Amino acid sequence: MTNYKNLQTALGNMHEIKKSTTAVAKGFKDDFLEKQAKLQSDRMLSAEGRIIKIDEYKAEQGAKFLTKAKEMRTEYDQAAEDAQKYAEMILNDPAHKPNEATLATFDRQLARLQTELMLSTNADSALSLVKTFAEQTTDAYLIGKFKETLPTIISEITTLAGVQAPQYKLKLRKMVDGLAVAPEIEEAQAVIDGGSMKGSPVWLEHGVQLTTIRQVVSGEYAQFANNPTAHVAETEV
């Protein structure tokens, strides 16, 4: 399997794990409603007794939920690590990365462009310099490197343009859209630029799924949905 397919698999796994929160929440809700119905039909229990039994059940379910949340957390973080790993491998793959001499030449030319832009006093001439450089940059890896500098370049040109900045933004947008980058390079770069997703929420804090969990299991456990190991650490203190 190629690094790109591995990257797509890792990203897909992360998406599926988040998506699975809906089914997990539904499962716990269904179990709770079934248990609640049984307790309500038990004539041997008083109203207070039912409340006690419900609370006991929520605690039991909370422990089960925490086990499931820990499993999801582990799988999600592993997928996030894999995504970062394969993205780095794609970007550093010799098949995509030019040789050192080509990279050195590009870096030198890019530095010259940046210097000329800093010294430019006219937005049209600055835009022309950037367009020429973009047209001459055809390697996917080098295009990716060039794109990293665009926020600064765009800022310099729009500053020179003054009140005409909106017009120049449109021209720059057209130029940026014309920079063709291989899909695997673009996706890998987006993963790296976005930073590691390891430890990021699997359960949306205010999402309907976690809200459901809070209703059907003990809050003592539900609050640790995204960091289940913290519950263990807290109980050991």
Side-chain angles (χ1 to χ4, degrees):
M1 189 178 289
T2 66
N3 289 329
Y4 184 43
K5 284 190 178 296
N6 284 329
L7 172 59
Q8 290 181 310
T9 297
L11 294 174
N13 288 343
M14 292 167 66
H15 174 74
E16 287 302 317
I17 291 167
K18 282 192 171 184
K19 184 180 176 182
S20 71
T21 57
T22 297
V24 172
K26 184 180 184 303
F28 276 92
K29 181 179 180 179
D30 290 346
D31 289 346
F32 173 79
L33 292 176
E34 181 180 346
K35 182 67 173 181
Q36 186 180 53
K38 288 181 179 179
L39 291 174
Q40 287 176 341
S41 64
D42 189 344
R43 296 184 179 182
M44 299 296 291
L45 289 172
S46 64
E48 184 179 353
R50 289 191 185 94
I51 293 174
I52 292 172
K53 288 291 185 181
I54 284 291
D55 287 343
E56 289 175 349
Y57 180 75
K58 282 187 172 183
E60 292 173 6
Q61 289 296 89
K64 290 180 181 178
F65 170 71
L66 211 59
T67 298
K68 181 62 178 178
K70 185 176 181 180
E71 175 188 315
M72 295 169 73
R73 175 82 275 163
T74 299
E75 291 178 357
Y76 185 87
D77 286 349
Q78 182 58 61
E81 286 185 4
D82 288 344
Q84 286 286 311
K85 177 179 72 176
Y86 290 117
E88 290 281 4
M89 290 173 72
I90 288 169
L91 295 177
N92 294 321
D93 189 338
H96 295 129
K97 192 174 182 179
N99 59 47
E100 292 302 318
T102 300
L103 283 173
T105 299
F106 175 81
D107 288 341
R108 186 170 60 253
Q109 293 172 338
L110 182 59
R112 185 184 303 125
L113 170 66
Q114 291 171 320
T115 299
E116 290 176 347
L117 288 176
M118 291 176 67
L119 297 174
S120 181
T121 58
N122 180 275
D124 281 329
S125 60
L127 180 61
S128 178
L129 287 170
V130 175
K131 280 186 173 180
T132 299
F133 188 89
E135 289 167 359
Q136 294 174 347
T137 305
T138 57
D139 179 85
Y141 182 90
L142 298 181
I143 288 174
K145 289 198 67 177
F146 176 49
K147 279 190 169 184
E148 293 175 8
T149 68
L150 284 177
T152 300
I153 289 174
I154 291 171
S155 177
E156 290 174 351
I157 293 177
T158 53
T159 297
L160 287 172
V163 295
Q164 293 182 308
Q167 299 174 32
Y168 281 85
K169 284 184 179 180
L170 290 175
K171 295 177 181 179
L172 287 162
R173 164 56 64 189
K174 186 176 181 180
M175 182 203 73
V176 171
D177 290 343
L179 293 171
V181 179
E184 61 268 28
I185 295 291
E186 192 163 25
E187 193 163 357
Q189 190 63 59
V191 170
I192 297 301
D193 290 346
S196 175
M197 296 299 289
K198 181 178 180 180
S200 64
V202 172
W203 296 79
L204 293 179
E205 188 60 35
H206 301 293
V208 64
Q209 298 88 348
L210 189 51
T211 298
T212 297
I213 290 296
R214 290 191 181 106
Q215 293 169 346
V216 300
V217 309
S218 172
E220 175 192 349
Y221 298 94
Q223 65 178 310
F224 294 102
N226 285 309
N227 189 15
T229 55
H231 179 268
V232 177
E234 186 175 282
T235 55
E236 290 179 348
V237 173

